[in-house]
Amino acid sequence: WPKDVGILAMEVYFPAQYVDQTDLEKYNNVEAGKYTEGLGQTHMGFCSVQEDINSLCLTVVQKLMERTQLPWDSVGRLEVGTETIIDKSKAVKTVLMELFQDSGNTDIEGIDTTNACYGGTASLFNAANWMESSSWDGRYAMVVCGDIAVYPNGNARPTGGAGAVAMLVGPKAPLVLERGLRSTHMENAYDFYKPNVASEYPLVDGKLSIQCYLRALDRCYTLYRQKIQKQWKQAGIDRPFTLDDLQFMIFHTPFCKMVQKSLARLMFNDFLSASSDTQNSLYKGLEAFRGLKLEDTYTNKDVDKAALKASLDMFNKKTKASLYLSTHNGNTYTSSLYGCLASLLCHHSAQDLAGSRIGAFSYGSGLAASFFSLRVSQDASPGSPLEKLVSSVSDLPKRLASRKRMSPEEFTEIMDQREQFFHKVNFSPPGDTNSLFPGTWYLERVDELYRRKYARRP
Ligand code: CAA
């Protein structure tokens, strides 16, 4: 099998406009700090009617191909993970073929995968599995994930966002998917779902969704630790795995505060499984919770607070940098975790990252979740694949800063417009294409048979 299959290159796309969460707090008449402190969100990106999931994915794929300068026929598999469904049959992948077919490359496996925010991870696993199977034909795989996260007026609306990430998957990668180290938890839950095909909005039980997320995290982390400890035992190492064995930890990020609580939760898992000597010496401030069962603590505010305090240093070292894009752009569902990965790379040098292990937790409501890890290559020398990958995402802060700030009134008007145009036929979306970033694909027209035509801003 090819060696070291993983992520070779990445491209991140987000819309060119945002609303400030402080402005939104005032506009929604909620207490100052509710969105910025309580949820940990400062800005939220959003799309006008000119953008849809197809245009987002066209843009990010085109940009990744331009950045890597690979020939279009070097890609043999293209996977799309999304939950932004505008057609119940025709895959986003088929629209992306527009980019490849001109070069004559129609021999590309892969199709869309959907389950809430988990589809990107399922696509990444599919791509890696293909490469490590007898079906692999020697070419690269590309994984595209993206979503437009919008909610009706109400307490979930500030947890929206929009964006897409494309990743080139291949052998000898600087970020290797560690073999045999994936754990999964899936169950039937109605925490967030989209039964209403006439609307872009999900039905959400916010409090239940948080409990489902944390339960899935506990289960996946327990299984991951068992799997890695088994591998270690075979190699003659007999000790428990803890968060200290992960130099970095990234999470699916519905809102940033949730992630800080999730890292605290992992530390709480380590605490509960440690010996009493270790509990006393390493986990100061948690002693009062000895003997509790994980499943009894999902709504325990004392555990929450104590674990947040005990894990603060760890959060600052292992996770905080990964929240940069999510803080400034919001939730992007399937691409959220991979935006966190790009943010982490953007805020560390190749030298800092070399040789480290990055833990990753992917969660999609409904529910599907996995915990896995990426091993960063040792070679951080100038021109190495790792150094190239790190420098390719270094412009994220500058690009985010170049977006246009819109007022909550303008944001609300555009959300109303999205409602109005959803499933409409025979129209050209209103708006000025010059407000998009250069090189962005946009929806030019929907004809009377719902066929969509796209164009690219020069
Ligand atoms: N200053 C500082 N903090 C404040 C504050 C203020 N003035 N006012 C409130 N807060 C805090 C609250 O104390 C609370 O923090 P704690 O949970 O630590 O106590 C936090 O702000 C949120 O406030 P509420 O508990 O009142 O929550 P809410 O009713 O506003 O709803 C939400 C929050 C449930 C997340 C809602 O926004 C929602 O439903 N979002 C969509 C669902 C979601 O994101 N779920 C996450 C898990 S599911 C998933 O991961 C899949 C996915 O991507 C959707």
Side-chain angles (χ1 to χ4, degrees), residues 329-372:
N329 188 46
N331 193 357
T332 61
Y333 295 159
T334 51
S335 57
S336 160
L337 179 67
Y338 303 97
C340 289
L341 181 59
S343 297
L344 184 80
L345 301 180
C346 163
H347 287 91
H348 292 278
S349 67
Q351 283 82 2
D352 283 348
L353 294 159
S356 63
R357 172 181 279 133
I358 305 172
F361 176 65
S362 180
Y363 177 80
S365 291
L367 66 82
S370 291
F371 197 110
F372 60 103

mmCIF file of all heavy atoms in Angstrom, residues 329-372:
data_model
loop_
_atom_site.group_PDB
_atom_site.id
_atom_site.type_symbol
_atom_site.label_atom_id
_atom_site.label_comp_id
_atom_site.label_asym_id
_atom_site.label_seq_id
_atom_site.Cartn_x
_atom_site.Cartn_y
_atom_site.Cartn_z
ATOM 1 N N ASN A 329 -15.636 33.443 11.671
ATOM 2 C CA ASN A 329 -16.531 33.125 10.546
ATOM 3 C C ASN A 329 -17.734 32.281 10.950
ATOM 4 O O ASN A 329 -18.708 32.213 10.219
ATOM 5 C CB ASN A 329 -15.726 32.413 9.448
ATOM 6 C CG ASN A 329 -16.502 32.226 8.181
ATOM 7 O OD1 ASN A 329 -17.152 33.158 7.700
ATOM 8 N ND2 ASN A 329 -16.468 31.021 7.626
ATOM 9 N N GLY A 330 -17.666 31.631 12.119
ATOM 10 C CA GLY A 330 -18.808 30.852 12.591
ATOM 11 C C GLY A 330 -18.746 29.388 12.203
ATOM 12 O O GLY A 330 -17.711 28.879 11.757
ATOM 13 N N ASN A 331 -19.875 28.722 12.348
ATOM 14 C CA ASN A 331 -19.962 27.287 12.061
ATOM 15 C C ASN A 331 -20.067 27.070 10.554
ATOM 16 O O ASN A 331 -20.849 27.757 9.880
ATOM 17 C CB ASN A 331 -21.203 26.708 12.751
ATOM 18 C CG ASN A 331 -21.224 25.190 12.778
ATOM 19 O OD1 ASN A 331 -20.332 24.539 12.238
ATOM 20 N ND2 ASN A 331 -22.241 24.629 13.406
ATOM 21 N N THR A 332 -19.295 26.146 10.039
ATOM 22 C CA THR A 332 -19.423 25.814 8.611
ATOM 23 C C THR A 332 -19.715 24.319 8.469
ATOM 24 O O THR A 332 -19.347 23.699 7.469
ATOM 25 C CB THR A 332 -18.167 26.202 7.800
ATOM 26 O OG1 THR A 332 -17.045 25.476 8.324
ATOM 27 C CG2 THR A 332 -17.870 27.692 7.911
ATOM 28 N N TYR A 333 -20.361 23.760 9.477
ATOM 29 C CA TYR A 333 -20.781 22.364 9.496
ATOM 30 C C TYR A 333 -19.683 21.394 9.026
ATOM 31 O O TYR A 333 -18.711 21.221 9.733
ATOM 32 C CB TYR A 333 -22.068 22.186 8.680
ATOM 33 C CG TYR A 333 -23.302 22.897 9.239
ATOM 34 C CD1 TYR A 333 -24.395 23.184 8.424
ATOM 35 C CD2 TYR A 333 -23.403 23.271 10.575
ATOM 36 C CE1 TYR A 333 -25.547 23.808 8.916
ATOM 37 C CE2 TYR A 333 -24.559 23.897 11.077
ATOM 38 C CZ TYR A 333 -25.606 24.168 10.247
ATOM 39 O OH TYR A 333 -26.746 24.786 10.738
ATOM 40 N N THR A 334 -19.818 20.809 7.816
ATOM 41 C CA THR A 334 -18.859 19.756 7.420
ATOM 42 C C THR A 334 -17.419 20.239 7.351
ATOM 43 O O THR A 334 -16.487 19.457 7.525
ATOM 44 C CB THR A 334 -19.205 19.163 6.032
ATOM 45 O OG1 THR A 334 -19.355 20.252 5.121
ATOM 46 C CG2 THR A 334 -20.448 18.321 6.061
ATOM 47 N N SER A 335 -17.215 21.525 7.063
ATOM 48 C CA SER A 335 -15.824 21.982 6.914
ATOM 49 C C SER A 335 -15.278 22.604 8.195
ATOM 50 O O SER A 335 -14.113 23.003 8.238
ATOM 51 C CB SER A 335 -15.696 22.963 5.744
ATOM 52 O OG SER A 335 -16.552 24.060 5.892
ATOM 53 N N SER A 336 -16.112 22.649 9.240
ATOM 54 C CA SER A 336 -15.685 23.295 10.483
ATOM 55 C C SER A 336 -14.382 22.693 11.027
ATOM 56 O O SER A 336 -13.406 23.398 11.298
ATOM 57 C CB SER A 336 -16.821 23.162 11.502
ATOM 58 O OG SER A 336 -16.353 23.339 12.794
ATOM 59 N N LEU A 337 -14.339 21.374 11.150
ATOM 60 C CA LEU A 337 -13.155 20.707 11.713
ATOM 61 C C LEU A 337 -11.906 20.994 10.874
ATOM 62 O O LEU A 337 -10.806 21.184 11.402
ATOM 63 C CB LEU A 337 -13.417 19.190 11.772
ATOM 64 C CG LEU A 337 -12.280 18.326 12.303
ATOM 65 C CD1 LEU A 337 -12.019 18.593 13.776
ATOM 66 C CD2 LEU A 337 -12.593 16.839 12.099
ATOM 67 N N TYR A 338 -12.096 21.053 9.554
ATOM 68 C CA TYR A 338 -10.943 21.224 8.658
ATOM 69 C C TYR A 338 -10.516 22.697 8.596
ATOM 70 O O TYR A 338 -9.343 22.997 8.363
ATOM 71 C CB TYR A 338 -11.253 20.564 7.297
ATOM 72 C CG TYR A 338 -11.582 19.113 7.592
ATOM 73 C CD1 TYR A 338 -12.903 18.666 7.720
ATOM 74 C CD2 TYR A 338 -10.564 18.229 7.925
ATOM 75 C CE1 TYR A 338 -13.197 17.366 8.128
ATOM 76 C CE2 TYR A 338 -10.844 16.929 8.336
ATOM 77 C CZ TYR A 338 -12.163 16.511 8.433
ATOM 78 O OH TYR A 338 -12.432 15.229 8.869
ATOM 79 N N GLY A 339 -11.455 23.595 8.860
ATOM 80 C CA GLY A 339 -11.098 25.007 9.042
ATOM 81 C C GLY A 339 -10.275 25.156 10.325
ATOM 82 O O GLY A 339 -9.345 25.970 10.395
ATOM 83 N N CYS A 340 -10.602 24.355 11.339
ATOM 84 C CA CYS A 340 -9.825 24.365 12.590
ATOM 85 C C CYS A 340 -8.407 23.868 12.319
ATOM 86 O O CYS A 340 -7.435 24.409 12.853
ATOM 87 C CB CYS A 340 -10.476 23.477 13.638
ATOM 88 S SG CYS A 340 -12.012 24.173 14.267
ATOM 89 N N LEU A 341 -8.306 22.854 11.479
ATOM 90 C CA LEU A 341 -6.976 22.334 11.138
ATOM 91 C C LEU A 341 -6.155 23.421 10.433
ATOM 92 O O LEU A 341 -4.987 23.660 10.768
ATOM 93 C CB LEU A 341 -7.136 21.094 10.236
ATOM 94 C CG LEU A 341 -5.866 20.399 9.796
ATOM 95 C CD1 LEU A 341 -5.036 19.928 10.989
ATOM 96 C CD2 LEU A 341 -6.194 19.201 8.891
ATOM 97 N N ALA A 342 -6.789 24.105 9.480
ATOM 98 C CA ALA A 342 -6.081 25.174 8.750
ATOM 99 C C ALA A 342 -5.666 26.292 9.715
ATOM 100 O O ALA A 342 -4.543 26.820 9.620
ATOM 101 C CB ALA A 342 -6.981 25.728 7.646
ATOM 102 N N SER A 343 -6.545 26.638 10.661
ATOM 103 C CA SER A 343 -6.214 27.694 11.632
ATOM 104 C C SER A 343 -5.033 27.281 12.502
ATOM 105 O O SER A 343 -4.153 28.089 12.803
ATOM 106 C CB SER A 343 -7.403 27.969 12.553
ATOM 107 O OG SER A 343 -8.485 28.448 11.810
ATOM 108 N N LEU A 344 -5.018 26.017 12.893
ATOM 109 C CA LEU A 344 -3.910 25.516 13.717
ATOM 110 C C LEU A 344 -2.590 25.634 12.948
ATOM 111 O O LEU A 344 -1.576 26.109 13.479
ATOM 112 C CB LEU A 344 -4.180 24.045 14.073
ATOM 113 C CG LEU A 344 -3.175 23.385 15.004
ATOM 114 C CD1 LEU A 344 -3.463 23.786 16.446
ATOM 115 C CD2 LEU A 344 -3.231 21.868 14.886
ATOM 116 N N LEU A 345 -2.614 25.221 11.682
ATOM 117 C CA LEU A 345 -1.397 25.285 10.856
ATOM 118 C C LEU A 345 -0.962 26.732 10.661
ATOM 119 O O LEU A 345 0.232 27.049 10.628
ATOM 120 C CB LEU A 345 -1.637 24.647 9.477
ATOM 121 C CG LEU A 345 -2.062 23.181 9.451
ATOM 122 C CD1 LEU A 345 -2.260 22.715 8.013
ATOM 123 C CD2 LEU A 345 -1.038 22.286 10.139
ATOM 124 N N CYS A 346 -1.965 27.613 10.524
ATOM 125 C CA CYS A 346 -1.687 29.026 10.255
ATOM 126 C C CYS A 346 -1.006 29.705 11.457
ATOM 127 O O CYS A 346 -0.239 30.633 11.284
ATOM 128 C CB CYS A 346 -3.015 29.698 9.917
ATOM 129 S SG CYS A 346 -3.037 31.451 9.996
ATOM 130 N N HIS A 347 -1.287 29.210 12.662
ATOM 131 C CA HIS A 347 -0.761 29.869 13.863
ATOM 132 C C HIS A 347 0.435 29.163 14.492
ATOM 133 O O HIS A 347 0.808 29.472 15.624
ATOM 134 C CB HIS A 347 -1.881 30.066 14.895
ATOM 135 C CG HIS A 347 -2.824 31.154 14.480
ATOM 136 N ND1 HIS A 347 -3.946 30.920 13.729
ATOM 137 C CD2 HIS A 347 -2.758 32.489 14.649
ATOM 138 C CE1 HIS A 347 -4.558 32.069 13.479
ATOM 139 N NE2 HIS A 347 -3.859 33.032 14.025
ATOM 140 N N HIS A 348 1.014 28.216 13.760
ATOM 141 C CA HIS A 348 2.235 27.559 14.254
ATOM 142 C C HIS A 348 3.217 27.458 13.107
ATOM 143 O O HIS A 348 2.824 27.362 11.948
ATOM 144 C CB HIS A 348 1.923 26.157 14.776
ATOM 145 C CG HIS A 348 1.098 26.161 16.033
ATOM 146 N ND1 HIS A 348 1.647 26.356 17.279
ATOM 147 C CD2 HIS A 348 -0.227 26.027 16.236
ATOM 148 C CE1 HIS A 348 0.688 26.343 18.187
ATOM 149 N NE2 HIS A 348 -0.470 26.153 17.578
ATOM 150 N N SER A 349 4.503 27.432 13.457
ATOM 151 C CA SER A 349 5.501 27.253 12.400
ATOM 152 C C SER A 349 5.608 25.764 12.086
ATOM 153 O O SER A 349 5.210 24.908 12.899
ATOM 154 C CB SER A 349 6.853 27.773 12.885
ATOM 155 O OG SER A 349 7.308 26.949 13.931
ATOM 156 N N ALA A 350 6.160 25.468 10.918
ATOM 157 C CA ALA A 350 6.354 24.066 10.535
ATOM 158 C C ALA A 350 7.230 23.363 11.584
ATOM 159 O O ALA A 350 6.989 22.201 11.933
ATOM 160 C CB ALA A 350 6.996 23.996 9.153
ATOM 161 N N GLN A 351 8.201 24.092 12.141
ATOM 162 C CA GLN A 351 9.084 23.510 13.173
ATOM 163 C C GLN A 351 8.295 23.135 14.433
ATOM 164 O O GLN A 351 8.508 22.081 15.024
ATOM 165 C CB GLN A 351 10.200 24.488 13.583
ATOM 166 C CG GLN A 351 11.339 24.593 12.600
ATOM 167 C CD GLN A 351 11.017 25.543 11.445
ATOM 168 O OE1 GLN A 351 9.936 26.153 11.408
ATOM 169 N NE2 GLN A 351 11.913 25.656 10.486
ATOM 170 N N ASP A 352 7.377 24.025 14.845
ATOM 171 C CA ASP A 352 6.557 23.730 16.036
ATOM 172 C C ASP A 352 5.713 22.473 15.830
ATOM 173 O O ASP A 352 5.421 21.738 16.768
ATOM 174 C CB ASP A 352 5.513 24.851 16.272
ATOM 175 C CG ASP A 352 6.117 26.083 16.874
ATOM 176 O OD1 ASP A 352 7.267 26.013 17.310
ATOM 177 O OD2 ASP A 352 5.408 27.128 16.899
ATOM 178 N N LEU A 353 5.267 22.306 14.606
ATOM 179 C CA LEU A 353 4.310 21.221 14.317
ATOM 180 C C LEU A 353 5.003 19.883 14.061
ATOM 181 O O LEU A 353 4.419 18.822 14.321
ATOM 182 C CB LEU A 353 3.477 21.581 13.083
ATOM 183 C CG LEU A 353 2.532 22.782 13.232
ATOM 184 C CD1 LEU A 353 2.171 23.359 11.872
ATOM 185 C CD2 LEU A 353 1.261 22.365 13.968
ATOM 186 N N ALA A 354 6.244 19.939 13.543
ATOM 187 C CA ALA A 354 6.918 18.717 13.072
ATOM 188 C C ALA A 354 6.917 17.626 14.137
ATOM 189 O O ALA A 354 7.253 17.868 15.292
ATOM 190 C CB ALA A 354 8.348 19.060 12.669
ATOM 191 N N GLY A 355 6.520 16.430 13.734
ATOM 192 C CA GLY A 355 6.564 15.259 14.617
ATOM 193 C C GLY A 355 5.407 15.163 15.595
ATOM 194 O O GLY A 355 5.311 14.195 16.347
ATOM 195 N N SER A 356 4.521 16.163 15.611
ATOM 196 C CA SER A 356 3.458 16.142 16.624
ATOM 197 C C SER A 356 2.283 15.255 16.195
ATOM 198 O O SER A 356 2.163 14.869 15.028
ATOM 199 C CB SER A 356 2.963 17.565 16.888
ATOM 200 O OG SER A 356 2.394 18.100 15.723
ATOM 201 N N ARG A 357 1.444 14.963 17.184
ATOM 202 C CA ARG A 357 0.200 14.231 16.896
ATOM 203 C C ARG A 357 -0.960 15.182 17.149
ATOM 204 O O ARG A 357 -1.050 15.811 18.209
ATOM 205 C CB ARG A 357 0.087 13.007 17.797
ATOM 206 C CG ARG A 357 -1.263 12.308 17.687
ATOM 207 C CD ARG A 357 -1.393 11.108 18.590
ATOM 208 N NE ARG A 357 -0.761 9.933 18.043
ATOM 209 C CZ ARG A 357 0.047 9.118 18.712
ATOM 210 N NH1 ARG A 357 0.333 9.369 19.973
ATOM 211 N NH2 ARG A 357 0.576 8.060 18.136
ATOM 212 N N ILE A 358 -1.863 15.290 16.151
ATOM 213 C CA ILE A 358 -3.045 16.153 16.278
ATOM 214 C C ILE A 358 -4.261 15.251 16.452
ATOM 215 O O ILE A 358 -4.576 14.448 15.564
ATOM 216 C CB ILE A 358 -3.231 17.031 15.020
ATOM 217 C CG1 ILE A 358 -1.963 17.858 14.712
ATOM 218 C CG2 ILE A 358 -4.455 17.939 15.157
ATOM 219 C CD1 ILE A 358 -2.010 18.602 13.378
ATOM 220 N N GLY A 359 -4.951 15.379 17.576
ATOM 221 C CA GLY A 359 -6.198 14.636 17.767
ATOM 222 C C GLY A 359 -7.334 15.408 17.111
ATOM 223 O O GLY A 359 -7.322 16.645 17.076
ATOM 224 N N ALA A 360 -8.315 14.682 16.557
ATOM 225 C CA ALA A 360 -9.421 15.361 15.863
ATOM 226 C C ALA A 360 -10.736 14.682 16.228
ATOM 227 O O ALA A 360 -10.843 13.452 16.190
ATOM 228 C CB ALA A 360 -9.198 15.301 14.360
ATOM 229 N N PHE A 361 -11.732 15.507 16.575
ATOM 230 C CA PHE A 361 -13.069 14.970 16.868
ATOM 231 C C PHE A 361 -14.072 15.567 15.899
ATOM 232 O O PHE A 361 -14.216 16.781 15.794
ATOM 233 C CB PHE A 361 -13.480 15.296 18.310
ATOM 234 C CG PHE A 361 -14.887 14.846 18.620
ATOM 235 C CD1 PHE A 361 -15.211 13.501 18.618
ATOM 236 C CD2 PHE A 361 -15.891 15.769 18.900
ATOM 237 C CE1 PHE A 361 -16.517 13.073 18.888
ATOM 238 C CE2 PHE A 361 -17.193 15.355 19.169
ATOM 239 C CZ PHE A 361 -17.496 14.002 19.161
ATOM 240 N N SER A 362 -14.747 14.674 15.188
ATOM 241 C CA SER A 362 -15.734 15.088 14.203
ATOM 242 C C SER A 362 -17.124 14.693 14.693
ATOM 243 O O SER A 362 -17.319 13.546 15.120
ATOM 244 C CB SER A 362 -15.419 14.376 12.883
ATOM 245 O OG SER A 362 -16.341 14.735 11.893
ATOM 246 N N TYR A 363 -18.075 15.643 14.646
ATOM 247 C CA TYR A 363 -19.429 15.337 15.121
ATOM 248 C C TYR A 363 -20.473 15.798 14.109
ATOM 249 O O TYR A 363 -20.420 16.945 13.635
ATOM 250 C CB TYR A 363 -19.709 16.031 16.463
ATOM 251 C CG TYR A 363 -21.129 15.795 16.945
ATOM 252 C CD1 TYR A 363 -21.467 14.608 17.572
ATOM 253 C CD2 TYR A 363 -22.135 16.744 16.717
ATOM 254 C CE1 TYR A 363 -22.779 14.361 17.972
ATOM 255 C CE2 TYR A 363 -23.445 16.499 17.129
ATOM 256 C CZ TYR A 363 -23.753 15.312 17.752
ATOM 257 O OH TYR A 363 -25.044 15.049 18.140
ATOM 258 N N GLY A 364 -21.398 14.931 13.783
ATOM 259 C CA GLY A 364 -22.529 15.309 12.944
ATOM 260 C C GLY A 364 -23.802 14.873 13.658
ATOM 261 O O GLY A 364 -23.941 13.693 14.037
ATOM 262 N N SER A 365 -24.723 15.797 13.837
ATOM 263 C CA SER A 365 -25.956 15.484 14.568
ATOM 264 C C SER A 365 -26.707 14.334 13.906
ATOM 265 O O SER A 365 -26.504 14.033 12.726
ATOM 266 C CB SER A 365 -26.864 16.717 14.588
ATOM 267 O OG SER A 365 -26.293 17.706 15.384
ATOM 268 N N GLY A 366 -27.536 13.739 14.720
ATOM 269 C CA GLY A 366 -28.392 12.694 14.118
ATOM 270 C C GLY A 366 -28.231 11.268 14.604
ATOM 271 O O GLY A 366 -29.182 10.558 14.686
ATOM 272 N N LEU A 367 -27.050 10.690 14.851
ATOM 273 C CA LEU A 367 -25.746 11.306 14.967
ATOM 274 C C LEU A 367 -24.639 10.377 14.532
ATOM 275 O O LEU A 367 -24.777 9.159 14.621
ATOM 276 C CB LEU A 367 -25.489 11.810 16.418
ATOM 277 C CG LEU A 367 -25.369 10.839 17.602
ATOM 278 C CD1 LEU A 367 -23.955 10.253 17.698
ATOM 279 C CD2 LEU A 367 -25.669 11.527 18.901
ATOM 280 N N ALA A 368 -23.550 10.975 14.086
ATOM 281 C CA ALA A 368 -22.360 10.234 13.655
ATOM 282 C C ALA A 368 -21.130 10.994 14.136
ATOM 283 O O ALA A 368 -21.042 12.210 13.938
ATOM 284 C CB ALA A 368 -22.339 10.138 12.130
ATOM 285 N N ALA A 369 -20.200 10.283 14.784
ATOM 286 C CA ALA A 369 -19.021 10.978 15.319
ATOM 287 C C ALA A 369 -17.793 10.075 15.257
ATOM 288 O O ALA A 369 -17.915 8.850 15.379
ATOM 289 C CB ALA A 369 -19.286 11.385 16.770
ATOM 290 N N SER A 370 -16.631 10.667 15.057
ATOM 291 C CA SER A 370 -15.379 9.902 15.081
ATOM 292 C C SER A 370 -14.277 10.696 15.744
ATOM 293 O O SER A 370 -14.249 11.929 15.658
ATOM 294 C CB SER A 370 -14.907 9.556 13.655
ATOM 295 O OG SER A 370 -15.780 8.627 13.058
ATOM 296 N N PHE A 371 -13.366 9.975 16.369
ATOM 297 C CA PHE A 371 -12.146 10.545 16.932
ATOM 298 C C PHE A 371 -11.007 9.896 16.152
ATOM 299 O O PHE A 371 -10.989 8.674 15.990
ATOM 300 C CB PHE A 371 -12.058 10.169 18.426
ATOM 301 C CG PHE A 371 -11.090 11.000 19.221
ATOM 302 C CD1 PHE A 371 -11.548 11.905 20.166
ATOM 303 C CD2 PHE A 371 -9.714 10.867 19.045
ATOM 304 C CE1 PHE A 371 -10.659 12.675 20.910
ATOM 305 C CE2 PHE A 371 -8.823 11.627 19.791
ATOM 306 C CZ PHE A 371 -9.289 12.533 20.722
ATOM 307 N N PHE A 372 -10.090 10.693 15.625
ATOM 308 C CA PHE A 372 -8.954 10.129 14.888
ATOM 309 C C PHE A 372 -7.752 11.031 15.094
ATOM 310 O O PHE A 372 -7.840 12.055 15.775
ATOM 311 C CB PHE A 372 -9.299 9.953 13.400
ATOM 312 C CG PHE A 372 -9.669 11.219 12.661
ATOM 313 C CD1 PHE A 372 -8.763 11.842 11.804
ATOM 314 C CD2 PHE A 372 -10.929 11.795 12.797
ATOM 315 C CE1 PHE A 372 -9.096 13.000 11.107
ATOM 316 C CE2 PHE A 372 -11.276 12.953 12.111
ATOM 317 C CZ PHE A 372 -10.366 13.564 11.265
#
